[in-house]
C-alpha cells in the first residue's frame, strides 16, 4: 500500500506507506525523486491492510486513514496539520471481520465528506465495507456488501454513466470480478 499526495503544502508529492505488521509511515518528497526520513503514524496495535489519503475533515489539508489487519480491528484517522505532521489517532471499531485491505476514499453520499470503502479478505463470501464519514475522524458503518471470496482489490468509478460512483472488485486467486452499481440517490 503506497499512496502519494502533498502532506506539507509545498507542492511536491509525498508518500504514505502501509504495513501489514506495523505502523504506516509518511515520507516527505523533495521534488527531485528523494524522500525524507519516515515518520511513523502510531496505530497502537497490529498493522494496516489499507491506506487512504485525502481531506477527510474538510480543513483543506491531507489526512491519512487506515483500516486494520494483523489483530487491528480499527479504522484509524490521522488528521493532517498541513506541514507534514499529524494529530493523534482517532479510531472507529470495525465489526466482525478481519484482514482488511484496499481502502478507497470517495464521497459516496454526496455530503462533501470523504467516505471509506474497503475489503475484508478472510470472509466467505467476501465482504466490501462502506463506512460514512461522520466528521471528527469517526466513521459509521453503512453496509457490508457480499462479493466473491477473498476480495483482493477494488476500484471506484462511474461505470454506467449515471454520475454515481460504482464499484469493481476482483478476487484473490480467482478469475472473479464483481461489479456493484451504485443505488445512491
Amino acid at each position: 500500500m503506497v499512496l502519494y499526495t502533498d502532506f506539507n503544502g509545498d507542492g511536491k508529492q509525498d508518500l504514505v506507506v502501509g504495513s501489514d505488521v506495523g505502523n504506516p509511515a509518511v515520507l516527505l518528497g523533495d521534488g527531485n525523486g528523494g524522500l525524507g526520513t519516515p515518520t511513523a503514524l502510531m496505530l497502537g496495535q497490529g498493522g494496516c491492510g489499507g491506506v487512504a489519503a485525502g481531506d477527510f475533515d474538510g480543513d483543506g489539508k491531507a489526512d491519512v486513514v487506515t483500516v486494520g489487519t494483523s489483530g487491528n480491528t480499527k479504522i484509524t484517522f490521522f488528521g493532517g496539520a498541513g506541514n507534514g505532521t499529524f494529530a493523534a489517532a482517532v479510531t472507529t471499531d470495525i465489526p466482525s471481520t478481519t484482514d482488511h485491505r484496499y481502502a478507497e476514499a470517495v464521497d459516496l453520499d454526496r455530503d462533501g465528506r470523504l467516505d471509506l470503502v474497503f475489503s475484508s479478505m478472510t470472509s466467505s463470501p467476501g465482504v466490501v465495507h462502506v463506512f460514512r464519514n461522520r466528521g471528527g475522524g469517526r466513521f459509521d458503518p453503512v453496509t457490508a456488501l457480499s462479493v466473491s471470496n477473498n476480495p483482493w482489490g477494488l476500484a471506484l468509478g462511474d461505470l454506467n454513466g449515471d454520475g454515481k460512483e460504482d464499484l469493481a472488485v476482483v478476487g484473490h486467486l480467482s478469475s472473479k470480478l464483481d461489479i456493484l452499481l451504485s443505488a445512491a440517490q
Side-chain angles (χ1 to χ4, degrees), residues 19-157:
S19 170
D20 280 355
V21 295
N23 296 307
V26 172
L27 298 94
L28 300 179
D30 66 9
N32 295 310
L35 297 168
T37 303
T39 300
L41 301 176
M42 304 307 289
L43 293 172
Q45 64 177 352
C48 63
V51 178
D55 184 10
F56 284 89
D57 58 9
D59 66 358
K61 300 167 188 154
D63 309 307
V64 173
V65 174
T66 68
V67 294
T69 195
S70 300
N72 180 354
T73 58
K74 310 255 184 226
I75 296 170
T76 306
F77 167 84
F78 298 95
N83 61 3
T85 64
F86 295 84
V90 176
T91 62
T92 301
D93 289 330
I94 302 170
S96 71
T97 60
T98 61
D99 203 13
H100 305 106
R101 303 281 172 180
Y102 308 102
E104 293 284 342
V106 62
D107 183 9
L108 289 173
D109 56 6
R110 300 177 180 194
D111 67 353
R113 294 188 293 212
L114 290 174
D115 305 308
L116 194 61
V117 177
F118 58 93
S119 65
S120 180
M121 278 191 53
T122 58
S123 55
S124 180
V127 175
V128 172
H129 297 277
V130 177
F131 276 69
R132 178 177 290 122
N133 182 344
R134 67 175 160 140
R138 306 259 184 215
F139 296 84
D140 289 328
V142 174
T143 191
L145 304 166
S146 290
V147 295
S148 299
N149 289 351
N150 298 315
W152 185 251
L154 53 90
L156 293 156

Side-chain angles (χ1 to χ4, degrees), residues 102 104 117 153-157 159 165-170 178-180:
Y102 308 102
E104 293 284 342
V117 177
L154 53 90
L156 293 156
L159 299 174
E165 297 290 331
D166 304 308
L167 180 63
V169 183
V170 64
D178 294 295
I179 303 294
L180 304 167

